[in-house]
Amino acid sequence: MIKTSNVSNNAGPSTADRIFLLSVDEAQNLFADCKAREAKLTEYAIKNHACTEIDGPYAGNAWWWLRSHGNDINYAAGVSFDGSINDDGHRVVGDQGCISPALRLAISPTHRDSEDSANSAHKVTEVSGSPSPGVNESLLKKASRIAIEDDLLTFGSYPQGVNGEVKPINWRVLERQHDSLLIISEMVLDAKCYNEQKCGTIWSESTLRRWLNEEFINEAFSSEQQSLIKAVNISNNAGPDTKDRIFLLSIDEAEKFFANNDDRICKPTGYARKNGARVLKGNAWWWLRSRGNNSNNAAFVGNCGAINKAGFNALLKDGYVRPTLQLANHPMLEVLKDDAKPASEATQERSSQTSAPPDVKSNPVEDYANAQKGDRLYFGHYPQGPDNAVERITWRVLERDSDSLLVVSEKGLDVQPYNDKLINVAWADCTLRDWLNGEFIKKAFNEQEQSMIKESDLNNNAGPPTKDRVFLPSTDEARALFANSNDRRAEPTAYAINHGVYTNNNSVWWWLRSHGNDVKYAAGVNSDGSINNGGHRVTGKRGCIRPALPLAIYSKPKAMIGRKQE
């Protein structure tokens, strides 16, 4: 069940390995933070003289090898006791480094998953004997299935972030038959023209059909996953019928499988937006395979969910692609509940169940004179919607003085590295400080609002004190001014998500201004709200920004409330 992986290396040729070590980039990108990279030792590793931290907060932790070379090829990189990445590395002859093997495990059913497998052309041999002691058999079974929540499921993966980050694809089940599921991507995944050539628009000859069944299918699905995608006989309103594994819905199918216009409204991924697709109020229009009212047009679903039978010119490059496929109802799939909710309803329900920090007040105050700690208030504007829509910023009051309120943004507003270069850097000299007190303050606040932001004298745990109007909390402030870890948790704006922020259960990790375990790292708050003293590398591009500022207290004229930037 262990697959051979093509492994790229930063020194020497690529290799084909079944078992390997992670690279520096993989260790950086595949873990949420330093805490997630921390590793304990087995007793066997200790017996074999693995190096471990004896006491302190990282007692019992190992440092473990990465496959990337270090500062020269006599050194190899590693992950330190505190989970930080050691780029410089350890001497390759070091005999105390721990081994944390990585492998790709094929997702395939065992014989016991299906009595019919004995008659299958793709027989999988049953693993003989009982699982090894300590192996959780339910985990083995779960690993061989594709996750389904209500009538949404994840299957395959595709670039979805604005920087091309590959993520699992979410699909909506449109129809269930006894042996298959008809599914459509929950979001539009890419932007393509229907046909690249100026000729008659028919599905059988379109370049979009060829791309879906050649490039897309190979990029989005492994060979095992492709074996579950059925070839379907497709009827078309122009041109011959086709047999496709990946296709678009027709006009009739788009009417049949969705309840109404609202049900057809679809959001784009950041990757699709980056590739040039058009949006209106954050919604996408997406191609159907049916021909429009003439031979140059293809039908589509508009931003508002209405079906446009007349269509757009097939040469347009800013149309979204929402793939559809027939997935074999295989033992690898969880059984769907008969009472599963429509995907749109399930999505709304999941959104409404997202937990908010304690004592969030639903109506932020607009008269700041009476605001108290824990209140929310509106101040300034910033892009927050998926279509870069500018909205009022909600702030949380962390502390009240006699003449000012210390506030922090309720959500993570944007994504920025702490510093543009991987160098020893303190808050006083980092590019993030320059951005907050330059570009951000001008973009978020008009002149009257800027006059209300006071200058703060800040003490920093590295480098000199600073005078800032907009800043990040320090580790001490994050610890003192929030009630607990849950209170520090923050959701991202859609704008931040589209700019590549890291999310975990709809929460982000966000920068603090304090340095981490050395001055190439900056501290942060993890997605679960715990404080990461070890920190992230200052050049990390997925950390969220929660600006803090001192706001002068006085009753604000109503005419000024909610004024948008010119």
Side-chain angles (χ1 to χ4, degrees):
M1 295 175 69
I2 301 172
K3 301 184 70 175
T4 299
S5 296
N6 293 319
V7 174
S8 298
N9 305 296
N10 71 338
S14 298
T15 54
D17 299 317
R18 300 178 71 199
I19 315 284
F20 51 94
L21 302 181
L22 296 181
S23 67
V24 166
D25 288 343
E26 290 163 348
Q28 181 72 33
N29 295 328
L30 299 177
F31 292 85
D33 48 41
C34 290
K35 182 71 176 175
R37 280 190 292 269
E38 289 180 27
K40 300 292 183 185
L41 288 127
T42 64
E43 292 182 7
Y44 180 78
I46 294 171
K47 181 181 176 181
N48 283 345
H49 311 296
C51 183
T52 184
E53 187 83 329
I54 301 301
D55 53 25
Y58 308 112
N61 286 6
W63 74 259
W64 43 285
W65 292 110
L66 298 173
R67 71 175 186 267
S68 305
H69 74 69
N71 58 3
D72 68 44
I73 51 177
N74 292 320
Y75 285 73
V79 173
S80 301
F81 300 121
D82 62 0
S84 61
I85 294 173
N86 181 349
D87 295 291
D88 293 336
H90 301 265
R91 283 165 56 91
V92 295
V93 293
D95 58 1
Q96 292 187 310
C98 228
I99 311 300
S100 192
L103 57 89
R104 284 189 170 84
L105 187 63
I107 300 175
S108 54
T110 62
H111 179 78
R112 68 172 67 91
D113 286 324
S114 174
E115 295 179 356
D116 296 333
S117 63
N119 300 320
S120 172
H122 304 285
K123 188 183 294 184
V124 179
T125 304
E126 183 177 5
V127 178
S128 61
S130 300
S132 301
V135 174
N136 186 332
E137 190 168 4
S138 67
L139 290 180
L140 295 177
K141 290 182 179 179
K142 187 175 180 181
S144 70
R145 296 188 179 106
I146 299 166
I148 295 177
E149 182 179 346
D150 292 327
D151 62 345
L152 292 178
L153 60 87
T154 58
F155 181 65
S157 56
Y158 196 71
Q160 293 182 61
V162 291
N163 296 316
E165 299 89 345
V166 175
K167 301 179 183 179
I169 306 171
N170 291 327
W171 302 83
R172 181 197 297 204
V173 178
L174 295 177
E175 185 177 54
R176 181 183 177 182
Q177 299 175 358
H178 73 282
D179 64 344
S180 63
L181 305 168
L182 179 65
I183 61 176
I184 188 169
S185 64
E186 182 68 2
M187 300 182 78
V188 285
L189 298 180
D190 214 330
K192 296 283 180 182
C193 56
Y194 186 95
N195 201 40
E196 294 175 355
Q197 300 170 351
K198 190 174 182 179
C199 59
T201 302
I202 56 175
W203 173 250
S204 61
E205 297 177 6
S206 70
T207 55
L208 182 51
R209 174 180 177 243
R210 185 165 64 247
W211 176 80
L212 285 168
N213 287 277
E214 294 177 5
E215 294 179 38
F216 173 78
I217 195 171
N218 288 319
E219 183 172 359
F221 308 107
S222 67
S223 56
E224 290 87 355
Q225 291 167 335
Q226 289 183 38
S227 70
L228 296 176
I229 301 173
K230 302 181 70 174
V232 180
N233 292 318
I234 300 290
S235 297
N236 303 297
N237 71 338
D241 293 348
T242 53
K243 192 166 189 175
D244 299 316
R245 300 177 72 196
I246 315 286
F247 51 96
L248 304 181
L249 294 180
S250 66
I251 290 173
D252 291 342
E253 291 162 349
E255 290 177 337
K256 173 183 177 182
F257 292 122
F258 293 87
N260 49 41
N261 287 354
D262 288 343
D263 198 29
R264 280 186 289 265
I265 291 175
C266 193
K267 301 290 184 184
T269 63
Y271 180 77
R273 288 173 53 85
K274 183 181 179 181
N275 284 348
R278 275 191 290 175
V279 294
L280 180 63
K281 296 182 178 180
N283 300 329
W285 69 267
W286 43 284
W287 291 114
L288 299 174
R289 72 174 185 270
S290 303
R291 177 187 277 181
N293 62 355
N294 63 54
S295 62
N296 294 319
N297 286 8
F300 66 94
V301 172
N303 307 82
C304 61
I307 296 172
N308 189 315
K309 298 181 180 180
F312 275 151
N313 191 303
L315 291 167
L316 286 175
K317 296 180 179 180
D318 58 357
Y320 278 118
V321 182
R322 201 173 176 190
T324 306
L325 57 91
Q326 195 93 19
L327 187 62
N329 196 355
H330 192 276
M332 287 175 67
L333 292 169
E334 295 278 9
V335 176
L336 285 175
K337 297 178 181 179
D338 292 333
D339 59 351
K341 299 179 179 66
S344 58
E345 185 179 327
T347 302
Q348 291 171 7
E349 184 172 300
R350 281 191 296 276
S351 176
S352 68
Q353 291 173 348
T354 302
S355 59
D359 61 35
V360 172
K361 300 192 176 178
S362 58
N363 296 309
V365 299
E366 294 180 328
D367 185 347
Y368 306 154
N370 298 315
Q372 301 294 326
K373 181 174 180 176
D375 283 348
R376 272 60 174 174
L377 56 85
Y378 291 126
F379 183 66
H381 292 76
Y382 200 72
Q384 295 179 67
D387 55 349
N388 299 346
V390 174
E391 301 172 8
R392 292 200 289 180
I393 306 172
T394 303
W395 302 82
R396 182 198 301 201
V397 179
L398 294 178
E399 193 172 49
R400 180 187 172 105
D401 289 334
S402 60
D403 63 349
S404 66
L405 305 170
L406 177 62
V407 299
V408 67
S409 67
E410 183 68 8
K411 291 189 174 185
L413 296 182
D414 210 331
V415 188
Q416 294 284 335
Y418 187 91
N419 199 59
D420 287 346
K421 296 180 180 178
L422 187 62
I423 56 175
N424 294 347
V425 66
W427 172 251
D429 302 313
C430 73
T431 55
L432 181 51
R433 176 177 178 243
D434 292 339
W435 179 81
L436 285 169
N437 287 276
E439 184 178 339
F440 174 78
I441 199 171
K442 292 176 182 177
K443 187 173 184 178
F445 310 108
N446 61 33
E447 290 183 3
Q448 288 177 293
E449 290 165 337
Q450 289 181 41
S451 71
M452 297 174 65
I453 302 172
K454 301 180 68 176
E455 190 172 71
S456 293
D457 293 316
L458 301 179
N459 292 317
N460 306 298
N461 70 340
T466 54
K467 287 181 177 289
D468 298 315
R469 300 177 71 199
V470 186
F471 52 93
L472 303 180
S474 67
T475 50
D476 289 342
E477 291 162 350
R479 191 172 287 110
L481 298 174
F482 293 83
N484 49 39
S485 294
N486 190 50
D487 196 31
R488 283 187 290 266
R489 284 180 52 243
E491 297 178 2
T493 63
Y495 178 81
I497 292 173
N498 282 349
H499 282 73
V501 70
Y502 173 85
T503 61
N504 182 18
N505 293 327
N506 202 36
S507 293
V508 293
W509 72 261
W510 45 284
W511 291 110
L512 298 174
R513 73 175 186 271
S514 306
H515 75 68
N517 57 1
D518 69 42
V519 286
K520 287 183 181 177
Y521 284 73
V525 172
N526 295 327
S527 57
D528 64 0
S530 60
I531 294 175
N532 182 348
N533 293 294
H536 301 263
R537 291 208 297 180
V538 295
T539 52
K541 297 180 180 178
R542 303 184 71 188
C544 215
I545 312 299
R546 285 185 82 179
L549 54 89
L551 186 61
I553 295 177
Y554 53 86
S555 186
K556 184 176 168 186
K558 290 291 182 183
M560 184 178 160
I561 295 170
R563 278 188 58 181
K564 294 188 178 180
Q565 308 296 301
E566 293 299 323

